[in-house]
Amino acid sequence: MIAAMLMPRGAFSAGEPQASDIVGRMAVHEVRHEETIPRLAQRYGLGFVELMAANPGVDPWLPGEGRKVMLPSAHILPDAPREGIVINLAELRLYHFRRDGSVATYPVGIGRDYWETPQISTAITLKRKNPVWTPPASIRAEKPYLPAQIGPGPDNPLGDFAMNLGFDSYVIHGTNKPLGVGRRVSHGCIRLYPEHIAILFDEVSPGTPVRIISQEIKFGWSDGALFLEAHASQEHADAIETGAIANYPMDVSSIAALLATVPGAADADLDWPLIEMTVRERRGVPIQISRRPRPEF
């Protein structure tokens, strides 16, 4: 059973400085008639792929009434400076490190094959409410029927809010297609649910640093225990979208090398069979890997 405290608008700290490397809490939802995984994902502030990864074997469109679905709403913070915005492509998730020391995190949609979102360090350069979308040449080449511009409204793929980055034409924005959040489906821009971009838009200003990284494996400490969180590669995320269940190859030496960079890990009594299972399954949830009384998830 997962200890539950629901956070449907994204996982937030309590407004105090972040002492733990983990933000949010795990939860469980009992499926009701006609509920789908995409609907539950948006309701609980999660992405489609991360919800599927946490619940292998569940049918995304007919999960089954009465079924218990794990809500992966706890996250180890990425290994990056804790300021401004950090986007971890590997977990399809954005972290906003607020000035008061609290953290908000939201699922995002990112670039698909051949249009991958780049790993860069940049900043917010411009904020636009009710933006006008001008299809770039790359998209017009695929869809020549598009108009020269699309103004504010339900047909605008940028949604109601857009924030330009200082790198080419990349933008953090809302969307008129929420199903694309938590998936690799864009031409490189970063999409958020409409309700999430509205919050983020109000809280950040031009000049806010933005770091885009990709970390499939994350480690973090909480209450004296070491946790591991493992996410799918793009190849395996594509398989997850179809409902496939796959174990990943386990390279003990590479995981050991990563652990060697974690302060304090060398002194921890680590559960290596659990580490290997967590990396093979890659369910995207924090798992305690140091031996001590474990919380009941």
Side-chain angles (χ1 to χ4, degrees), residues 138-198:
S138 58
I139 295 180
R140 292 192 63 81
E142 290 184 3
K143 302 177 180 180
Y145 54 83
L146 287 172
Q149 290 186 326
I150 296 178
D155 295 329
N156 192 320
L158 299 182
D160 296 330
F161 302 95
M163 298 186 292
N164 290 32
L165 302 180
F167 183 81
D168 291 344
S169 57
Y170 290 95
V171 181
I172 299 173
H173 61 82
T175 182
N176 61 348
K177 295 180 179 179
L179 187 60
V181 175
R183 301 171 66 199
R184 294 169 170 85
V185 293
S186 80
H187 281 77
C189 288
I190 298 101
R191 305 177 180 180
L192 281 79
Y193 287 128
E195 58 269 31
H196 290 167
I197 189 65

Side-chain angles (χ1 to χ4, degrees), residues 45-50 85-95 105-111 117 172-173 175 178-186 189-193 196-197 200 212:
L46 300 167
F48 176 77
V49 168
E50 70 178 340
I85 292 172
V86 175
I87 298 168
N88 187 10
L89 302 177
E91 62 176 316
L92 298 158
R93 184 158 283 274
L94 177 152
Y95 294 84
T105 178
Y106 310 105
V108 295
I110 62 173
T117 304
I172 299 173
H173 61 82
T175 182
L179 187 60
V181 175
R183 301 171 66 199
R184 294 169 170 85
V185 293
S186 80
C189 288
I190 298 101
R191 305 177 180 180
L192 281 79
Y193 287 128
H196 290 167
I197 189 65
L200 188 64
I212 304 178

Side-chain angles (χ1 to χ4, degrees), residues 106-128:
Y106 310 105
V108 295
I110 62 173
R112 56 184 170 85
D113 279 337
Y114 307 110
W115 299 99
E116 289 89 351
T117 304
Q119 297 182 50
I120 54 172
S121 292
T122 181
I124 301 293
T125 58
L126 178 67
K127 294 173 59 177
R128 294 181 286 152

Side-chain angles (χ1 to χ4, degrees), residues 1 21 39 57 64 73 83 113 123 192 197 202 211 241 252 273 277:
M1 182 62 67
D21 290 327
R39 183 180 297 178
S73 47
E83 61 175 351
D113 279 337
L192 281 79
I197 189 65
D202 283 343
R211 293 177 176 86
E241 291 211 41
V252 175
M277 182 180 72

